[in-house]
Amino acid sequence: MFQSKFFKSIAFIRAVFLIALFILILLASITYRHIKDLDKTSAVLMNTYEISLELEQLMSYIKDAETGHRGFVITGGDSIYLDPYINARNNINISFEILNNSTKNNQNQQKHLKKIYNLVDKRFSYFKKDFKTQREFNTIFKEGKVVMDSIRREVSKMITLENKLLYVHEKIYKYNNSNTPLIIFSSFLISILILVLGYLRIIKNYKSLIKQNIELKIFDESSRQAEILGNYGSWVLNFENHQFSYSDNKFRLLGCEPQSFNPTIANLLEFVHPDDKHILIEANDSILKDESLPLIHYRIIRKNNNEIRHFRTIGKIFIDSLGHKNMIGTTQDITDDFNKKELIKQRNKELEQNNKELNEFNQVASHDLQEPLRKIQTFISRISEKEQDSLSESGKIYFEKIKQASSRMRVLIDDLLQYSRTNRSEKVFSKINLNEIAEESKIELSESIEEQKATINIGKLHTIKAVKFQLQQLFINIIGNSLKYAKKDVPPIITIRSKKVKAINEPLLNDSSNKEYIKIIFTDNGLGFDQAYAHKIFLLFNRLHSKNEFPGTGVGLAICKKIVENHKGYIFAEGVLNEGATFIIYLPK
């Protein structure tokens, strides 16, 4: 049964006209027969002749198929010999249809026809594209000959039966002869109708073809411009003849005029950098062997200016509507991207060198800067113990300022070292119970907590994967910050709690995904701050109060931000002046 798309094809239109032409010829033949031959013998002979002719034609089609098949096998697979084989099969089906219709009322003939059908089907089963051995070919050839002899015997029996029906056909002929004019008129009318339908289909297909052709031209031009703008070219490999075809821009990428040379692997290798030729050769072998082409990178040397360019090529198998297998692919000039990557590599090397120098500076800060500071503080201590009384009042003031400045410098160096260690320390993640971290932080800050009579309320916190010492430093810095900025004569109350949340439900994250976080919240009843400065308090060395009001270097909260970022999290601050502050931390679950 034909698929529906067949009725929209050119083959259908051709079939319509052939059928109409066949009907007209058949009608002319019938008319001529009835006019020239009115006796019963001629009518029976004509009918017998037609059936016999069709049977002979059937035998001819089978022989054509056999001849085409042998030619295909002998020539080692020349596809031109498949055409007679394919056409013969179609013609055999038509012959069987005609014979079946001609003998459908004759059970004996139907039985013989069925036997012939089965024998023909069996004969076709011996047709193969190739044979493993000569012995197999000889065996099948002999068996095919036996089947052909059987087919001839059955055809002979059918012809014999037709001759016996001459008398019956005579009566049928005389009866049908009286209805011949009506039959002829109806047949001509049907033929004309078929021709009209075929004509209408041609007109419709023609208009559709014109429209598609216009669209194809527009698309083709768009593809050409896209290749130029995208700096790439396309190519097609036909697996039947192993021939390539290149787009115009593929030639331009090589520094040549479009279609200026035959697109073969050998010719393409002339453009490839000598060190990369093996890449293209291996890729071509992969195409022919595995019918696949992975993404490959190689260099070419343009013929027009000897410039080296970097190419990227990829291909994919494609089977068209006619069943032809092709590989379509693209080749892109990625020289600019390659140069950018090389520049990034160079910048990364420079950055690594800068980091190395920074680490060396940290070592200097850790040892060389602290050594003279320790000596200064030692001498300050000795002067304070032995020479304090001999100083003038102004000298005592200056000496006290020197003492305070050296102390601040000591704190600043320690904070900078802590910030540096946060940046470059090894990040070994393990399961951490936040309640344990909070309790250890309370012990670390116990002296300040007791001195200020502070209350630390810790809820039931979660367990997460984190770097333990960094998380402990995070808790110490935030709790210490709340203790530092407590209200005068008001005992600090600090509350710590956590909960599991999704990003989509947290406006602060501005993330519409369902990624899960552990949200840690620190609240206090301290001095708070103006929310307009919330984005500044995590900056290095940034302070909202003067150093005379509150001691510190402005590094503690910057360390908190760096620790949270090390854990791929987020930290936010919310404050109300003279009412308190809230620090919100999101760490991935």
Side-chain angles (χ1 to χ4, degrees):
M1 182 179 289
F2 296 119
Q3 298 179 358
S4 58
K5 64 180 181 180
F6 169 78
F7 295 98
K8 300 179 181 179
S9 65
I10 296 176
F12 171 71
I13 298 173
R14 187 186 296 113
V16 167
F17 278 97
L18 288 176
I19 291 172
L21 183 61
F22 175 78
I23 292 175
L24 289 174
I25 294 173
L26 182 62
L27 290 174
S29 176
I30 293 173
T31 303
Y32 178 79
R33 185 190 63 186
H34 281 283
I35 293 173
K36 297 296 182 179
D37 192 1
L38 297 178
D39 57 71
K40 65 178 182 179
T41 304
S42 297
V44 173
L45 289 174
M46 181 62 71
N47 186 50
T48 302
Y49 171 77
E50 288 179 353
I51 294 175
S52 300
L53 181 63
E54 198 61 43
L55 289 169
E56 292 296 330
Q57 190 68 43
L58 176 63
M59 291 298 300
S60 177
Y61 292 149
I62 296 172
K63 292 177 182 178
D64 289 343
E66 190 173 34
T67 301
H69 173 258
R70 289 179 181 174
F72 180 78
V73 172
I74 291 171
T75 57
D78 190 343
S79 60
I80 193 172
Y81 288 95
L82 286 179
D83 292 336
Y85 171 78
I86 296 171
N87 293 334
R89 294 206 66 166
N90 295 333
N91 291 331
I92 287 169
N93 290 334
I94 295 173
S95 291
F96 271 117
E97 184 67 22
I98 294 172
L99 290 170
N100 187 57
N101 291 333
S102 299
T103 62
K104 62 183 178 181
N105 296 323
N106 190 323
Q107 293 184 356
N108 290 330
Q109 292 289 56
Q110 286 281 301
K111 290 179 181 179
H112 289 296
L113 188 62
K114 186 175 182 180
K115 288 182 180 180
I116 294 173
Y117 183 86
N118 292 333
L119 289 169
V120 171
D121 189 59
K122 184 176 181 180
R123 182 66 188 94
F124 270 96
S125 68
Y126 292 135
F127 290 168
K128 298 173 63 178
K129 289 187 177 182
D130 56 67
F131 299 91
K132 297 180 179 179
T133 62
Q134 181 65 34
R135 182 178 180 182
E136 181 184 3
F137 174 82
N138 293 336
T139 300
I140 291 179
F141 177 79
K142 291 177 181 179
E143 292 177 355
K145 184 178 182 302
V146 173
V147 174
M148 285 295 293
D149 291 340
S150 298
I151 293 173
R152 290 188 182 92
R153 284 195 294 271
E154 291 299 325
V155 169
S156 178
K157 290 178 182 180
M158 287 190 69
I159 295 174
T160 301
L161 286 174
E162 283 299 318
N163 291 330
K164 292 179 180 180
L165 295 174
L166 287 176
Y167 181 74
V168 177
H169 288 166
E170 177 186 6
K171 292 183 178 180
I172 295 173
Y173 172 78
K174 286 184 177 181
Y175 175 78
N176 290 334
N177 189 50
S178 60
N179 298 321
T180 297
L182 179 60
I183 295 173
I184 293 174
F185 176 77
S186 301
S187 298
F188 271 107
L189 189 62
I190 292 172
S191 300
I192 293 172
L193 180 61
I194 292 174
L195 289 172
V196 171
L197 290 175
Y199 173 78
L200 293 176
R201 172 57 64 183
I202 289 175
I203 294 298
K204 185 176 181 180
N205 285 359
Y206 178 72
K207 292 180 179 179
S208 176
L209 186 62
I210 291 176
K211 181 180 178 181
Q212 291 175 4
N213 190 43
I214 294 173
E215 293 175 351
L216 184 61
K217 288 182 178 179
I218 295 173
F219 177 77
D220 189 46
E221 184 60 30
S222 299
S223 298
R224 289 196 184 99
Q225 295 302 320
E227 288 187 7
I228 295 173
L229 294 174
N231 207 23
Y232 72 93
S234 59
W235 50 269
V236 178
L237 169 62
N238 188 318
F239 277 99
E240 292 182 359
N241 53 27
H242 295 97
Q243 290 185 350
F244 284 89
S245 60
Y246 292 169
S247 65
D248 289 348
N249 208 51
K250 176 71 182 288
F251 288 91
R252 296 190 187 100
L253 294 179
L254 297 170
C256 302
E257 291 296 321
Q259 311 303 325
S260 58
F261 64 87
N262 188 24
T264 63
I265 288 295
N267 289 336
L268 181 60
L269 284 172
E270 294 181 2
F271 296 87
V272 179
H273 193 282
D275 295 339
D276 293 347
K277 288 182 183 292
H278 69 281
I279 297 176
L280 208 63
I281 293 173
E282 291 173 0
N284 185 59
D285 292 341
S286 176
I287 292 174
L288 299 178
K289 182 179 179 181
D290 305 326
E291 296 186 352
S292 65
L293 176 63
L295 184 65
I296 59 172
H297 296 80
Y298 56 96
R299 292 166 293 174
I300 63 100
I301 303 175
R302 285 184 171 175
K303 292 296 183 182
N304 55 350
N305 54 13
N306 291 325
E307 180 184 5
I308 295 177
R309 306 293 292 180
H310 294 262
F311 278 13
R312 177 175 62 199
T313 295
I314 191 170
K316 183 179 181 181
I317 292 295
F318 172 74
I319 300 177
D320 60 25
S321 58
L322 299 177
H324 298 150
K325 184 183 293 185
N326 302 282
M327 175 174 282
I328 58 175
T330 59
T331 297
Q332 187 174 13
D333 187 333
I334 58 169
T335 306
D336 293 341
D337 292 340
F338 178 83
N339 292 336
K340 289 178 182 177
K341 288 181 180 179
E342 291 298 310
L343 181 61
I344 291 174
K345 288 181 181 179
Q346 181 63 30
R347 294 290 185 266
N348 287 339
K349 288 182 179 179
E350 295 174 359
L351 183 60
E352 289 176 1
Q353 181 63 29
N354 292 337
N355 287 337
K356 183 177 179 181
E357 293 173 357
L358 182 60
N359 288 334
E360 292 174 354
F361 170 77
N362 289 334
Q363 294 297 324
V364 172
S366 177
H367 298 286
D368 297 350
L369 290 181
Q370 290 195 74
E371 181 60 27
L373 180 60
R374 279 194 293 269
K375 290 182 179 180
I376 291 172
Q377 289 182 320
T378 299
F379 286 119
I380 288 174
S381 176
R382 291 178 180 178
I383 293 173
S384 178
E385 292 175 357
K386 298 180 180 181
E387 307 293 336
Q388 182 74 16
D389 294 337
S390 62
L391 295 175
S392 64
E393 290 299 321
S394 60
K396 290 179 180 180
I397 294 173
Y398 294 148
F399 184 74
E400 186 62 28
K401 288 184 177 180
I402 292 173
K403 186 177 180 180
Q404 292 175 358
S406 65
S407 296
R408 284 199 303 272
M409 188 174 182
R410 163 72 69 180
V411 174
L412 178 59
I413 291 175
D414 289 341
D415 285 349
L416 285 175
L417 289 174
Q418 181 64 39
Y419 185 81
S420 175
R421 283 194 291 270
T422 302
N423 274 332
R424 58 188 172 87
S425 61
E426 292 186 8
K427 301 173 183 178
V428 180
F429 286 76
S430 59
K431 284 190 176 182
I432 305 297
N433 189 319
L434 294 180
N435 283 98
E436 294 178 2
I437 296 295
E439 293 298 332
E440 291 174 2
S441 301
K442 283 176 62 177
I443 295 173
E444 182 74 20
L445 298 169
S446 59
E447 185 176 341
S448 296
I449 293 173
E450 291 176 4
E451 181 182 340
Q452 295 180 251
K453 299 179 180 180
T455 301
I456 312 294
N457 298 319
I458 303 174
K460 186 177 181 181
L461 305 180
H462 288 75
T463 297
I464 64 171
K465 276 192 173 183
V467 181
K468 183 175 181 179
F469 83 90
Q470 288 193 12
L471 217 59
Q472 186 169 347
Q473 188 66 46
L474 172 67
F475 273 63
I476 290 173
N477 285 7
I478 294 180
I479 296 172
N481 189 78
S482 295
L483 293 173
K484 181 191 297 184
Y485 295 104
K487 293 178 184 177
K488 189 177 181 180
D489 300 327
V490 177
I493 301 176
I494 303 171
T495 302
I496 308 173
R497 65 184 189 276
S498 71
K499 61 179 179 178
K500 184 170 65 175
V501 298
K502 288 186 177 181
I504 192 172
N505 299 325
E506 297 296 314
L508 286 174
L509 295 180
N510 192 26
D511 185 352
S512 59
S513 71
N514 287 318
K515 188 175 181 180
E516 293 185 337
Y517 291 88
I518 299 300
K519 182 179 181 181
I520 309 170
I521 306 169
F522 297 81
T523 58
D524 63 48
N525 62 340
L527 292 174
F529 57 88
D530 189 337
Q531 187 63 26
Y533 301 103
H535 65 287
K536 292 184 177 181
I537 64 175
F538 296 111
L539 299 178
L540 193 64
F541 302 126
N542 188 78
R543 295 170 53 87
L544 299 183
H545 302 273
S546 69
K547 62 185 178 182
N548 294 326
E549 294 180 86
F550 298 95
T553 60
V555 178
L557 290 180
I559 291 176
C560 292
K561 181 173 174 36
K562 180 58 63 177
I563 290 173
V564 172
E565 288 177 347
N566 288 345
H567 288 76
K568 309 298 181 184
Y570 304 90
I571 185 169
F572 303 94
E574 296 178 351
V576 178
L577 202 58
N578 295 319
E579 291 188 14
T582 299
F583 290 89
I584 304 171
I585 299 170
Y586 294 93
L587 297 178
K589 182 176 177 299

